[in-house]
Amino acid sequence: MKRLLGLVLLLGLIAPAQAAAHAQLEETVPQRGAVLRQQPEQVVFRFSEPVEGNFGAVRVFDASGRRVDEGDAFHPGDRGNEIAVHLRDGLADGTYTATYRVVSADAHVISSGVVFSIGEASAAGKTVAELLGGQDTGPVTDAVFGVARGLQFAAIAIAVGALAFLLLVWRGVLAAGVAPAAAATAFVRRHRRLVAGAALLGAFSAAAGVVLQGAEAAGVTGFDALRPSIVKETLGTRFGTVWGIGVVAWLALAALAAFALRPRAGVDREPAAPSPVALLAFAPLAAFLLLLPALSGHASVQSPVWLLLPANALHVAAMSVWVGGLATLLLALPAATRALPERGDRSRLLAATLLRFSPLALCAVIAIVLSGTVQGVVEVRTVAHLFDTAFGRAVLVKLVLLLALIGLGAVQRRRVLPRLRVVAAAGAAPGGAGLLLRRTLRGELLLIAGVLAATAFLTAYAPSTAERSGPFDRTTELGPIQLQLTVDPAAVGSNELHVYLLNPRDGSQFDGAREVTIAATEEDEGIGPLDAPADKAGPGHYVANVALGVPGTWTVRVSARVSDFDEYTTRVEVPVR
């Protein structure tokens, strides 16, 4: 219980304050705050990388909150990094708000919006954040999606690793003659159930992942995302295609395991492991599953792909060899030892198996460390990012858990394995050595569950080098006036600030301010105040631009002078990444 509580506390460190995204908005047509003489035919958002969105991805609203877009979102000129929507004909003069909710190439959902006007600017109505507020899946769906990712990675590790154990470890154990017929048969039967069970878990979690990704993209609950139209559109996205193929691959692997992993008699009528040729049938399925996290995540889209993609695949493969081997030792090997009547035979079987698995596990650990270091350097870059970004904190937690795992592995190599050798040579029962082995294996699997959970968080977050937040939205009081402040994207660099002044009685725009001034300060770094000239974009609506040079908590001061003698001031703290 204490270990589990500690694990929960560690994983709590990686919960982000706000959602992250990877693709970045580079340009809009019309531009932010533009006042156009004529109505445009369409609204276009241009991003730093390809995006996908068919689920009402781009919407345009008038000042009353009614939608004025027409038709589905589309990619102008088949350019994947642009997404647009047509506007209805005959729009009246006034101010409009265009919002987007799209899926970036690494499966992250990003959203924000811009305000523009036709003819003469008017009251903007609801803010971007308010218009996007109804497009949220909620914490339950987000949490279940995280669980589905974790189960998918666990299934990959157990199934592929168990197959590797059969090929690289168990065949050698049989050749050593320490696993007679009863033990070999019991092992193969339990091993087959382990692989088939992992495959069914993988199929279920992959199917759930497709549905939940559709929920994220469409901004609906998981149950609402079961609609055939949403599932179909999700399968057309990068993530949906990869995980949809994953469902088929898992079902094929389960069927193949039921057929190819059956106990069979060798030439001497003793049960034998499946031949290398039979195991080769698993190779294409296993290879795809090892690539699944990379193909549906950051590694296949973040530069340099030539380095990150193979590093990620090696990382998953090495982790699978380690995790799947441990699962086999804990869940399948005991069936073999219990089938042996002599206790000395049990010790010899345990020792022979560990002697073959131990160097394999050591090689896997080295590969995990090397590949993980490559990915960490590229995706985190700085030590500071390990602490001030959700992605970095997930990497840090995963690193701590892996170090603990390596420590338990060292206990096995230095304490358990030598003691098993001694009792095996003496023909004695495993005794204390066997008990210590079970305890270390259980501890390792518990820590591995934490590693897989941290990995699920990593795939949900954008890398530290790409993480962004926003738009930030806050409603507060400005004297007798209600103030709504939007900062977009609330990230280091150029930010657009929207100030809305409202009458608190009826929520109408307050247009009695003679002058509005805005300034930003980062007190911890001693920066500012940076003045941001505010331009009036409509009744009670002011727009300003300011460059926020460092991450941290910025204080935005908004002042409104309403007469020669009255001026109201308030301060809003804005988290900037």
Side-chain angles (χ1 to χ4, degrees), residues 449 489 491 498 530:
H498 289 264
L530 306 178

Side-chain angles (χ1 to χ4, degrees), residues 19-23 104 106 108 110 298 302 379 389-392 457-468:
H22 193 177
S104 61
D106 60 359
H108 289 130
I110 56 176
H298 311 128
Q302 185 181 1
E379 296 181 332
T389 66
F391 187 90
F457 279 110
L458 281 173
T459 60
Y461 300 154
S464 302
T465 53
E467 185 170 335
R468 297 180 61 153

Side-chain angles (χ1 to χ4, degrees), residues 125 127 130 474-476 482-486 498-500 502:
T127 67
E130 287 175 327
R474 178 65 54 81
T475 299
T476 187
Q482 188 179 64
L483 166 71
Q484 289 183 345
L485 173 67
T486 298
H498 289 264
V499 170
Y500 302 88
L502 306 173

Side-chain angles (χ1 to χ4, degrees), residues 3-4 7 401 405 441-451:
R3 289 179 180 176
L4 182 59
L7 177 60
L401 294 175
L405 274 168
L441 287 176
R442 290 168 182 169
E444 286 181 278
L445 286 180
L446 179 64
L447 289 172
I448 283 170
V451 171

Side-chain angles (χ1 to χ4, degrees), residues 19 74 189-190 387 445 570:
F74 64 96
R189 286 175 176 170
R190 182 66 62 86
F387 301 94
L445 286 180
T570 191

Side-chain angles (χ1 to χ4, degrees), residues 532-550:
D535 298 323
K536 191 172 184 178
H541 179 202
Y542 298 83
V543 179
N545 286 277
V546 62
L548 305 178
V550 298

Side-chain angles (χ1 to χ4, degrees), residues 39-234:
Q39 172 189 333
E41 294 183 359
Q42 61 191 28
V43 173
V44 183
F45 293 96
R46 182 176 302 140
F47 297 88
S48 60
E49 66 175 35
V51 296
E52 300 168 318
N54 300 317
F55 313 93
V58 180
R59 300 176 179 180
V60 185
F61 302 86
D62 62 16
S64 64
R66 292 176 299 186
R67 290 183 62 177
V68 296
D69 52 274
E70 188 172 56
D72 295 330
F74 64 96
H75 295 288
D78 291 329
R79 292 182 291 274
N81 67 322
E82 296 183 10
I83 193 164
V85 70
H86 290 293
L87 296 176
R88 297 176 185 173
D89 294 331
L91 295 184
D93 290 351
T95 298
Y96 295 84
T97 303
T99 66
Y100 62 85
R101 182 182 177 87
V102 297
V103 182
S104 61
D106 60 359
H108 289 130
V109 176
I110 56 176
S111 61
S112 189
V114 298
V115 176
F116 66 92
S117 301
I118 301 173
E120 184 177 352
S122 63
K126 294 183 178 180
T127 67
V128 170
E130 287 175 327
L131 292 172
L132 288 170
Q135 304 178 46
D136 193 6
T137 57
V140 174
T141 300
D142 293 340
V144 174
F145 198 4
V147 171
R149 288 191 183 96
L151 293 177
Q152 180 68 195
F153 301 149
I156 293 172
I158 293 173
V160 177
L163 290 171
F165 187 96
L166 191 65
L167 178 65
L168 302 175
V169 177
W170 188 248
R171 291 184 60 82
V173 172
L174 290 179
V178 294
T185 300
F187 175 87
V188 171
R189 286 175 176 170
R190 182 66 62 86
H191 178 273
R192 181 177 60 164
R193 288 199 292 268
L194 179 63
V195 174
L200 294 177
L201 176 64
F204 171 77
S205 59
V210 172
V211 173
L212 292 166
Q213 175 67 8
E216 292 274 2
V220 298
T221 66
F223 290 108
D224 291 335
L226 288 170
R227 294 199 299 266
S229 59
I230 293 182
V231 173
K232 180 180 178 181
E233 293 192 19
T234 304

